[in-house]
Amino acid sequence: MLVLLPPSEGKASSGRGAPLKLESLSLPALTAAREAVVGELAELCLADEDKAREVLGLSEGLRGEVAKNAGLRTAGTRPAGEIYTGVLYDALDLASLDPAAKRRAARSLLVFSGLWGAVRVTDRIPSYRCSMGVRLPGLGALGTHWRAPMAAALPEAAGDGLVLDLRSAAYAAPWKPKGEVAGRTASVRVLHAPTRKVVSHFNKATKGRIVRSLLEAGAAPADPAELVEALRDLRYTVEAQAPAGAGKAWQLDVLVDEVH
């Protein structure tokens, strides 16, 4: 099972580990594309703070985020699973998983990013600020920049198992499963049961809880139909919509009344 996650806007501070080594990150087919983004972003943030804030869409109060990007190559690193914070990652709470569940997380979780393309939670990265919606002066829109390298790298990462897609729309744009991979992909929405509407906090927190539940249970669904059964066994209320034709993903709606 491969689980596709969005990053978080909020991030923990960089660690005290060795500086970034792009060649050590997972999905080596993305290395050249990562080098291009890191190079331009760091140079922009070093050369012109005001221009960098404009490009990144940052307010005056977030000038410190520009400094983070300026130091991308020299800052300490820590595992991506420790860098990403926020509602989804608080609910997932990787640090408190038992050793077996942590090993499953290392194998199955893939976090999408405007800066890195996608990383495993064990990949060591510095803190940064760069969303998928950013348009760099040289490279252009990052969502477009990542499409070709993602098309080369992600089918191999998906292997022949289930793909559980929990990404937000912006992070889904650079790579959308196609063909045979799409047929074993399940995209999940979390709906507030009384209103049948997506509510941001419910959506993010429940997605984190779903991933944690699957990791703790050691669930290994081979396809979307088995995922539905696994989630129901874990006491989630799930409505499934099988694709109308070949080469399309399943849509799963998880209904929640409240999130604690």
Side-chain angles (χ1 to χ4, degrees):
M1 177 173 64
L2 183 68
V3 182
L4 311 182
L5 296 173
S8 59
E9 186 171 296
K11 298 175 182 68
S13 60
S14 295
R16 296 182 178 180
L20 175 67
K21 295 181 180 178
L22 287 173
E23 66 277 11
S24 73
L25 300 181
S26 302
L27 306 182
L30 301 181
T31 300
R34 289 168 176 152
E35 179 64 47
V37 181
V38 169
E40 183 173 353
L41 182 62
E43 182 177 345
L44 170 66
C45 291
L46 278 167
D48 190 335
E49 185 179 274
D50 290 333
K51 178 64 174 178
R53 283 200 303 111
E54 179 185 341
V55 169
L56 295 170
L58 300 177
S59 65
E60 175 70 27
L62 293 174
R63 282 184 177 271
E65 300 296 284
V66 176
K68 279 185 184 179
N69 291 341
L72 281 172
R73 295 190 184 277
T74 57
T77 58
R78 61 200 299 184
E82 298 177 12
I83 289 288
Y84 294 112
T85 60
V87 175
L88 187 155
Y89 291 91
D90 285 348
L92 174 53
D93 195 9
L94 287 167
S96 69
L97 291 172
D98 65 49
K102 285 181 178 177
R103 289 192 293 271
R104 288 189 282 270
R107 293 193 301 267
S108 63
L109 306 188
L110 199 62
V111 184
F112 278 64
S113 162
L115 181 55
W116 317 113
V119 291
R120 303 280 185 185
V121 292
T122 50
D123 284 332
R124 299 190 67 93
I125 58 173
S127 190
Y128 69 96
R129 186 66 169 257
C130 184
S131 72
M132 191 64 78
V134 164
R135 178 183 293 272
L136 291 174
L139 291 175
L142 292 181
T144 302
H145 171 76
W146 286 113
R147 282 179 189 162
M150 288 279 192
L154 267 295
E156 181 179 354
D160 58 3
L162 170 72
V163 178
L164 174 54
D165 192 351
L166 302 178
R167 297 172 296 169
S168 55
Y171 289 92
W175 184 67
K176 296 182 179 180
K178 297 180 179 179
E180 187 269 335
V181 179
R184 48 187 166 84
T185 296
S187 180
V188 173
R189 296 188 305 177
V190 179
L191 302 181
H192 185 212
T195 63
R196 291 290 174 131
K197 293 181 179 179
V198 175
V199 181
S200 180
H201 179 85
F202 285 79
N203 183 51
K204 294 175 182 177
T206 304
K207 285 180 177 179
R209 288 158 63 91
I210 286 171
V211 176
R212 183 180 179 89
S213 296
L214 292 169
L215 294 172
E216 288 182 320
D223 56 39
E226 289 189 12
L227 173 64
V228 171
E229 293 307 310
L231 291 175
R232 287 174 177 165
D233 287 345
L234 291 167
R235 299 186 181 281
Y236 288 96
T237 301
V238 183
E239 295 180 352
Q241 182 177 337
K248 295 183 179 181
W250 284 54
Q251 176 68 56
L252 307 187
D253 288 341
V254 176
L255 306 180
V256 294
D257 292 315
E258 57 182 315
V259 177
H260 300 288

